[in-house]
Amino acid sequence: MEQFSTKPQASAARQEKVVLRRIRAIDIEIRSGTYPNTNDLAKKLEVGVRTISRDIEEMKLFYNAPIAFDRAKNGYYYTEDSFYIKDISLSEGELFSVALFERLLSGYRNTPLEKHLRSVFRKIAASLGERATIDTMYLDDSVTYISEPLAQIDAEVFNTVFSAVRTSKEIRFDYRPLQKQTYMSRTVRPYHIVCQKGSWYVIGFDSYKSDIRIFAFSRIKNATTTGETFEIPEDFDWRKYIDADIGVWASSQVSHKIRLRFSAEIATFASEHIWSRSQTVTQNEDGTVEVAFETTQLPEVQRWVLGQGHTVQVLEPQELIDAVKAELSQMGKMYGNT
């Protein structure tokens, strides 16, 4: 069970509010037309000149403030008369979402996105103004959030793959397949990125296999661009290679009709769970529940079924029934059963 300390987060949020308060004050002074300089602003706000300089740079960088310096008047002014620093106005429901936002970022803790998203959260919180409050019940240790255990992703790999997809650049990297302990060199044209429950994958044309393949970010290292550009084929559709409901483990495009029977002891769980947006659920008179849906992810369904033990039975397809039986046979041998 994962718990989070709120002290560093609260301190950062307070600091953001202090900075934003100064930025608002600087904005007012500049819009007044008095052409204030760093010395004037430092004296008025009772901070150092370097602090004011950093605030002005932040206004330019994060708020796109059109600030210019008039040497003749020795002060700052806006080149656009209509510009001003805007506060964010949120409804009560939106404030609730903001309260949960940072805590839910745990799903991105294995990627460079976490740092950026936390920065966005602090800026939003700081921009709410003095009258806006967030119920700390959603931020303190009385609420625990359990996230998926995630493999670490190298920041350079993450950035290289995203950049390559955005610019249609071919990439080369070392990859360790799930069934192997060694890395293999791959040259790939990355077409599309998928995030499933905090795990990241890239779908692309693998020159080694001469086919579309799916690669997990966490098993990539030494990613670089080759300099070669490409065009995505017009008939490429990422939906053919994954199932957004079930998973991204298998690259197969063959769709299978799945029918599962859930025992009465977990019937409520089975009937309320969304396995697939195309699913049908049938309640039987004996208390069991049958769920049917279609997916290309046969191995993923097999792994899930095996994890449920005797409470779930595969009714079809026969291919999945045979795969489950074969796995159970191997498990029996492992534990000494014949």
Side-chain angles (χ1 to χ4, degrees):
M1 183 171 293
E2 186 173 3
Q3 294 187 341
F4 303 85
S5 172
T6 60
K7 291 183 179 179
Q9 300 168 4
S11 177
R14 284 194 296 271
Q15 181 62 26
E16 288 286 347
K17 281 189 176 292
V18 171
V19 173
L20 185 60
R21 194 177 298 117
R22 286 201 307 269
I23 286 176
R24 289 196 189 102
I26 294 172
D27 170 61
I28 291 172
E29 292 297 316
I30 293 177
R31 285 192 289 113
S32 70
T34 58
Y35 291 85
N37 55 40
T38 52
N39 290 323
D40 298 330
L41 294 169
K43 183 177 180 180
K44 187 176 185 64
L45 299 178
E46 299 180 344
V47 294
V49 171
R50 287 187 177 182
T51 299
I52 296 298
S53 296
R54 285 195 299 268
D55 291 341
I56 289 176
E57 288 305 311
E58 182 162 339
M59 291 170 69
K60 293 178 180 179
L61 181 62
F62 295 106
Y63 296 92
N64 295 317
I67 301 176
F69 189 83
D70 189 313
R71 294 189 178 278
K73 298 182 179 180
N74 192 34
Y76 293 103
Y77 69 100
Y78 285 145
T79 58
E80 298 175 14
D81 293 337
S82 61
F83 179 84
Y84 66 96
I85 300 294
K86 304 171 183 65
D87 287 337
I88 297 177
S89 177
L90 299 180
S91 67
E92 183 177 353
E94 289 169 333
L95 284 172
F96 170 80
S97 299
V98 170
L100 294 177
F101 182 79
E102 189 171 22
R103 302 300 298 275
L104 298 177
L105 290 181
S106 58
Y108 297 91
R109 68 180 183 276
N110 65 329
T111 75
L113 287 180
E114 180 187 18
K115 179 181 178 181
H116 300 312
L117 289 172
R118 291 194 186 282
S119 177
V120 169
F121 166 79
R122 290 195 296 269
K123 291 183 185 301
I124 291 174
S127 300
L128 295 179
E130 298 302 319
R131 291 176 295 178
T133 59
I134 297 176
D135 191 340
T136 57
M137 183 189 77
Y138 303 107
L139 300 175
D140 63 26
D141 290 333
S142 62
V143 179
T144 297
Y145 300 84
I146 301 176
S147 61
E148 295 281 342
L150 302 173
Q152 191 65 31
I153 297 175
D154 181 81
E156 191 62 32
V157 166
F158 193 90
N159 293 330
T160 299
V161 175
F162 261 81
S163 176
V165 170
R166 185 176 64 253
T167 60
S168 296
K169 292 287 181 64
E170 186 181 72
I171 53 176
R172 184 179 292 115
F173 52 78
D174 297 324
Y175 191 72
R176 186 177 67 183
L178 191 62
Q179 302 85 358
K180 297 183 180 295
Q181 296 299 316
T182 57
Y183 284 85
M184 306 174 68
S185 179
R186 287 288 187 268
T187 300
V188 175
R189 297 176 178 178
Y191 293 162
H192 189 80
I193 292 171
V194 179
C195 177
Q196 183 198 27
K197 299 178 181 178
S199 295
W200 294 82
Y201 305 87
V202 58
I203 305 173
F205 181 82
D206 179 6
S207 61
Y208 178 77
K209 295 289 187 179
S210 295
D211 200 1
I212 302 294
R213 287 292 186 267
I214 300 175
F215 300 92
F217 279 41
S218 60
R219 299 200 291 274
I220 295 175
K221 70 176 184 178
N222 303 325
T224 59
T225 58
T226 66
E228 297 292 327
T229 59
F230 62 85
E231 292 186 4
I232 298 177
E234 292 184 1
D235 61 349
F236 171 75
D237 184 354
W238 60 269
R239 299 169 188 82
K240 296 178 181 178
Y241 299 91
I242 71 168
D243 185 325
D245 297 316
I246 305 298
V248 299
W249 292 93
S251 300
S252 172
Q253 297 184 55
V254 178
S255 183
H256 300 271
K257 181 180 180 180
I258 310 294
R259 277 206 309 133
L260 306 175
R261 179 187 291 134
F262 294 81
S263 65
E265 62 187 282
I266 62 166
T268 299
F269 166 74
S271 60
E272 70 182 8
H273 192 88
I274 303 300
W275 310 98
S276 171
R277 277 162 282 194
S278 63
Q279 73 182 29
T280 59
V281 179
T282 304
Q283 181 78 51
N284 298 322
E285 292 183 0
D286 61 359
T288 61
V289 170
E290 290 186 17
V291 177
F293 55 89
E294 292 190 10
T295 182
T296 60
Q297 303 293 306
L298 212 59
E300 179 67 7
V301 177
Q302 176 188 336
R303 276 187 284 269
W304 186 88
V305 167
L306 288 168
Q308 308 311 304
H310 73 280
T311 61
V312 179
Q313 178 186 4
V314 179
L315 300 179
E316 64 174 296
Q318 188 62 45
E319 181 180 350
L320 180 56
I321 295 174
D322 293 341
V324 171
K325 286 182 177 180
E327 186 66 24
L328 290 174
S329 176
Q330 291 296 319
M331 292 173 66
K333 293 177 182 178
M334 180 187 298
Y335 290 101
N337 296 330
T338 57

